[in-house]
Amino acid sequence: MNRVLILEDEPLIAMDLSMAFEDCAIAAVTAVTCAEACTALAEQAIDGAVLDVNLGGGETCEQIALVLKGRAIPFILNTGDLDRSGELLRAIDAPVVAKPTPADRVVERLMEHARTS
């Protein structure tokens, strides 16, 4: 895995995840919205992704999850809102890591998922 997409609306979480991937020699591209994530996917080769489910303003990661599934790019969902997002999480059908989880553990979980998918 060379480059991952981090779709996260909380800057500190995005920065923490980005640094954790970079510590593993994996480049991280961050996006705050689905539009930014679409641009990143169009402009760069992405090998995996960590998606925050709820991005604020009623936006969810569903659009990007569908693009990633269509391209067979492994991704995990990283959310702190398991109750409210229940139906969406089941519809997306991807591994879920509950927030707060240490960034290095999120990296490990994506790597594990990538190996088995």
Side-chain angles (χ1 to χ4, degrees), residues 59-74:
E59 185 177 26
T60 71
C61 70
E62 185 174 17
Q63 172 190 1
I64 300 306
L66 293 173
V67 171
L68 294 170
K69 277 190 178 219
R71 295 183 186 180
I73 297 172

Side-chain angles (χ1 to χ4, degrees), residues 23-100:
D23 285 348
C24 295
I26 299 169
V29 177
T30 59
V32 177
T33 65
C34 287
E36 288 179 11
C38 280
T39 299
L41 287 167
E43 294 177 351
Q44 302 178 60
I46 300 293
D47 304 308
V50 176
L51 308 179
D52 183 8
V53 174
N54 293 301
L55 301 169
E59 185 177 26
T60 71
C61 70
E62 185 174 17
Q63 172 190 1
I64 300 306
L66 293 173
V67 171
L68 294 170
K69 277 190 178 219
R71 295 183 186 180
I73 297 172
F75 66 93
I76 60 173
L77 303 173
N78 189 32
T79 185
D81 201 5
L82 295 172
D83 293 332
R84 191 174 66 146
S85 302
E87 285 300 314
L88 179 61
L89 293 176
R90 281 189 289 283
I92 292 174
D93 188 31
V96 177
V97 177
K99 288 180 183 174

